[in-house]
């Protein structure tokens, strides 16, 4: 049986990690890409899997102006800090962890720069170190399962 999905909110940064980019950088890869750099990982992953029908999606709590987590998905499968997960499992686990006020999944079609400006997220050059090589390495550690078409 597969390991259950771990919601990104379990890895939320502390206030100190939000302020200190070096402290945030020193977290585990999973924590770093779950909270604080999920959008960077998503843009790296979609570069690799766009031809397989994956696009960037944002999870947003109902009533909130900004997405709080970014993934890639083809409508059946998703990829983020926790690796490859069936999309319904990711959505179920996220809603169970934080049920109120509910969640919505939004397609994101903008550039990374536009997304960061619109959602108050950091561009890669605003991190303590360049997160792009770290994201590429992290993605390579989680090869696409054969059933992901």
């Amino acid at each position: 049986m597969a390991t259950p999905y771990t919601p990104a909110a379990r890895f939320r940064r502390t206030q100190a990690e939000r302020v200190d980019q070096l402290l945030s950088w020193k977290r585990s890869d999973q924590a770093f890409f779950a909270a604080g750099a999920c959008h960077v990982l998503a843009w790296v992953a979609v570069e690799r899997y766009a031809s397989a029908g994956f696009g960037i999606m944002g999870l947003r709590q109902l009533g909130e102006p900004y997405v709080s987590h970014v993934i890639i998905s083809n409508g059946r499968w998703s990829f983020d800090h926790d690796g490859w997960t069936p999309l319904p499992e990711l959505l179920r686990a996220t809603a169970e962890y934080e049920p109120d006020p509910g969640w919505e999944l939004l397609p994101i079609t903008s550039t990374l720069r536009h997304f960061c400006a619109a959602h108050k997220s950091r561009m890669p050059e605003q991190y303590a170190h360049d997160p792009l090589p770290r994201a590429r390495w992290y993605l390579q550690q989680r090869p696409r399962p054969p059933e992901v078409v």
Side-chain angles (χ1 to χ4, degrees):
M1 181 173 179
T3 305
Y5 178 77
T6 305
R10 292 188 73 183
F11 298 95
R12 278 204 180 102
R13 290 174 291 162
T14 65
Q15 185 58 35
E17 290 167 341
R18 288 182 162 281
V19 173
D20 184 339
Q21 279 300 299
L22 191 55
L23 185 60
S24 181
W25 180 268
K26 290 179 180 179
R27 293 178 302 149
S28 72
D29 288 333
Q30 185 171 15
F32 182 72
F33 290 118
C38 58
H39 60 293
V40 174
L41 181 62
W43 257 267
V44 166
V46 86
E47 280 179 13
R48 184 165 183 186
Y49 295 114
S51 64
F54 285 85
I56 297 174
M57 307 292 287
L59 277 85
R60 179 172 69 183
Q61 283 191 307
L62 296 174
E64 291 295 322
Y66 308 112
V67 301
S68 61
H69 189 53
V70 182
I71 65 171
I72 68 166
S73 180
N74 66 357
R76 291 189 347 247
W77 282 90
S78 61
F79 179 83
D80 71 353
H81 69 95
D82 211 36
W84 292 98
T85 306
L87 181 60
E89 167 64 13
L90 182 148
L91 296 173
R92 181 200 60 74
T94 299
E96 277 183 8
Y97 190 76
E98 290 186 308
D100 295 321
W103 293 88
E104 59 186 334
L105 190 61
L106 306 169
I108 297 171
T109 58
S110 65
T111 64
L112 177 59
R113 183 164 301 284
H114 183 264
F115 171 84
C116 289
H119 292 274
K120 299 188 183 284
S121 296
R122 286 183 171 87
M123 283 293 295
E125 61 269 15
Q126 294 174 309
Y127 287 84
H129 303 284
D130 185 354
L132 294 171
R134 186 175 178 179
R136 289 183 189 106
W137 178 87
Y138 195 71
L139 177 63
Q140 288 174 3
Q141 305 312 303
R142 286 142 191 85
R144 187 173 73 180
E147 65 270 19
V148 177
V149 178

